[in-house]
């Protein structure tokens, strides 16, 4: 969009909102899944995130990328959701389905199972590590993750290293069991 936030009409904001959700909706859903324990909770959180994005769009100043802006909002909504629900962060009751567009049914099944194991392991990580791992899996750079979480790039690297180590252990124990 070329006009400044204050000059955008409601129709332009609606179109922009729809474009953003089309582009980043799946990624925001995966982010929400890393903070929730059921598909219903995930849907609720995605709705909260969408409402927060809608409310924040008129105030977007372009000081960061749209993607960073959206993920920052999603991160804040997710933290508020966790605090409100006082979710147990150590165990997972339900694993959300992860879509796979692979045409080969056997590869799709294997990839879906791996995706479920990975999501279950991420959900068992402490929030600080789940955040950086999830954002890294979404293709964000250290700088973008640092902006979203409000931490230094060095801290992103440290959390990512520790989070990966924790994931390896969790996945090894899941495969052994």
């Amino acid at each position: 969009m070329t006009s400044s936030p204050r000059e955008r009409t409601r129709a332009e904001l609606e179109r922009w909102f729809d474009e953003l959700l089309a582009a980043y909706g799946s990624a925001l859903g995966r982010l929400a899944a890393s903070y929730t324990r059921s598909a219903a909770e995930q849907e609720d959180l995605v709705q909260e995130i969408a409402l927060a994005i809608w409310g924040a769009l008129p105030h977007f100043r372009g000081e960061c990328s749209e993607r960073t802006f959206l993920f920052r909002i999603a991160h804040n909504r997710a933290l508020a959701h966790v605090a409100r629900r006082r979710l147990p962060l150590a165990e997972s009751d339900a694993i959300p389905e992860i879509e796979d567009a692979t045409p080969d049914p056997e590869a799709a099944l294997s990839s879906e199972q791996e995706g479920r194991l990975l999501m279950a392991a991420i959900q068992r990580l402490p929030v600080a590590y789940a955040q950086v791992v999830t954002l890294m899996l979404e293709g964000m750079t250290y700088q973008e993750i640092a902006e979203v979480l409000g931490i230094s790039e060095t801290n992103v690297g440290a959390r990512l290293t520790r989070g990966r180590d924790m994931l390896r252990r969790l996945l090894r124990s899941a495969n052994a069991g």
Side-chain angles (χ1 to χ4, degrees), residues 18-139:
D18 290 342
E19 290 169 4
L20 290 171
L21 288 186
Y24 301 107
S26 295
L28 294 171
R30 288 187 296 272
L31 179 99
S34 71
Y35 286 89
T36 60
R37 301 295 179 253
S38 70
E41 270 189 279
Q42 179 186 356
E43 288 177 31
D44 288 347
L45 181 54
V46 168
Q47 288 300 313
E48 287 180 40
I49 291 168
L51 285 172
I53 290 169
W54 173 253
L57 275 183
H59 308 290
F60 178 65
R61 296 183 306 260
E63 294 172 352
C64 61
S65 71
E66 290 175 341
R67 182 169 103 160
T68 299
F69 180 71
L70 297 180
F71 274 93
R72 182 72 181 166
I73 293 167
H75 163 71
N76 289 337
R77 284 283 110 210
L79 287 179
H81 176 83
V82 169
R84 227 179 17 257
R85 302 271 198 270
R86 297 193 190 280
L87 296 173
L89 296 177
E91 295 297 323
S92 173
D93 297 328
I95 302 168
E97 290 188 30
I98 299 174
E99 293 182 31
D100 187 349
T102 307
D104 176 16
E106 289 177 14
L109 179 61
S110 174
S111 182
E112 182 179 328
Q113 289 169 340
E114 289 172 5
R116 286 181 184 195
L117 283 173
L118 179 61
M119 183 57 70
I122 289 171
Q123 288 176 329
R124 293 182 63 197
L125 293 175
V127 171
Y129 302 108
Q131 293 167 333
V132 293
V133 169
T134 300
L135 294 173
M136 182 59 72
L137 289 172
E138 291 302 332

Side-chain angles (χ1 to χ4, degrees), residues 38 107 109 143 147 154 175 177:
S38 70
L109 179 61
Q143 180 182 356
E147 288 177 26
T154 303
N175 287 332

